[in-house]
């Protein structure tokens, strides 16, 4: 290639940005719906074109080199210009409507949405929060393009994004009164986590009573921190300061619960953005 050829392959630039943002070749491949070797090859081509190493591989994760940190800002600008030009010459903004279960959304939801927007700033994103059951019904009525929910036993049409660790949590210093039923803070019906956790308590022969019923994870988290009782929650959803009490109280072990993506979006810009969201979600749920 002649030195006067100053062009860059934007596919290789996009691969680099995804590696940088997701901190993993595997996750970058998931977001791109390709293989890890394909992502590695694109990065190699870009590094050869620029004449420098952009990424340093460590045993635990990948890190940007000093030149990589500098190039990342320029790479994002290149992709933004491409997206802007594409949107201007292809008509109206594309829209995607995604339902996310309240048990799944988590405190990192703003960062996940930002990641999705960074993938395609011209895409109009609509997010709806609700229970897994309600969102699946809306998805089946074609009111949603996609839904990210807890696994339902009667469904086999989704893609498992990650399996999350669950635990029993309470406020620091909380103590159960000896001889009294275990006070439980939980979501309103129908809620898969509620059903599963109460069934496990019954099977273990542990007496319980409802001390608080909330319409969302935020309300249940507040009740836990207020000392109203114990709740079965994903570690990622923990309210600040909550501690795990399952082992101390000899409560039944909770299984890992799958988070599942249901989608009818198969290709195009919306699918690319959804893939970026899914990959970022896997990253957030695993960390």
């Amino acid at each position: 290639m002649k030195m006067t050829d100053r062009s860059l392959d934007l596919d290789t630039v996009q691969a680099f940005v995804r590696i940088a943002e997701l901190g993993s070749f595997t996750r970058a491949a998931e977001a791109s719906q390709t293989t890890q070797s394909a992502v590695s090859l694109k990065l190699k081509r870009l590094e050869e074109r620029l004449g420098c190493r952009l990424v340093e591989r460590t045993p635990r994760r990948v890190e940007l080199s000093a030149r990589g940190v500098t190039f990342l800002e320029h790479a994002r600008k290149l992709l933004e210009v491409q997206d802007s030009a594409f949107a201007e010459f292809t008509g109206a903004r594309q829209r995607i409507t995604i339902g996310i279960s309240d048990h799944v959304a988590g405190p990192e939801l703003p960062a996940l949405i930002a990641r999705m927007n960074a993938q395609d700033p011209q895409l109009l994103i609509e997010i709806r929060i609700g229970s897994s059951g309600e969102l699946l019904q809306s998805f089946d009525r074609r009111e949603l393009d996609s839904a990210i929910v807890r696994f339902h036993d009667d469904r086999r049409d989704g893609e498992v994004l990650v399996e999350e660790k669950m635990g029993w949590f309470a406020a620091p210093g909380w103590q159960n009164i000896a001889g009294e039923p275990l006070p439980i803070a939980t979501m309103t019906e129908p809620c898969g986590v509620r059903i599963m956790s109460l069934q496990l308590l019954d099977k273990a022969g542990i007496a319980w009573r409802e001390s608080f019923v909330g319409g969302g994870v935020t309300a249940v988290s507040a009740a836990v921190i207020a000392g109203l009782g114990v709740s079965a929650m994903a570690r990622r959803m923990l309210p600040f300061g909550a501690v795990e009490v399952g082992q101390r109280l000899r409560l039944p072990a909770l299984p890992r619960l799958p988070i599942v993506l249901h989608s009818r979006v198969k290709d195009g810009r919306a699918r690319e953005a959804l893939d970026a969201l899914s990959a970022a979600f896997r990253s957030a749920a695993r960390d």
Side-chain angles (χ1 to χ4, degrees), residues 126-139:
E126 179 179 349
I127 300 290
R128 300 181 189 176
I129 304 296
S131 71
S132 293
E134 293 169 344
L135 294 175
L136 283 174
Q137 291 176 10
S138 295
F139 177 76

Side-chain angles (χ1 to χ4, degrees), residues 194-205:
R194 169 197 172 95
I195 294 171
M196 176 270 297
S197 60
L198 297 184
Q199 285 179 343
L200 286 174
L201 290 175
D202 288 339
K203 186 176 180 180

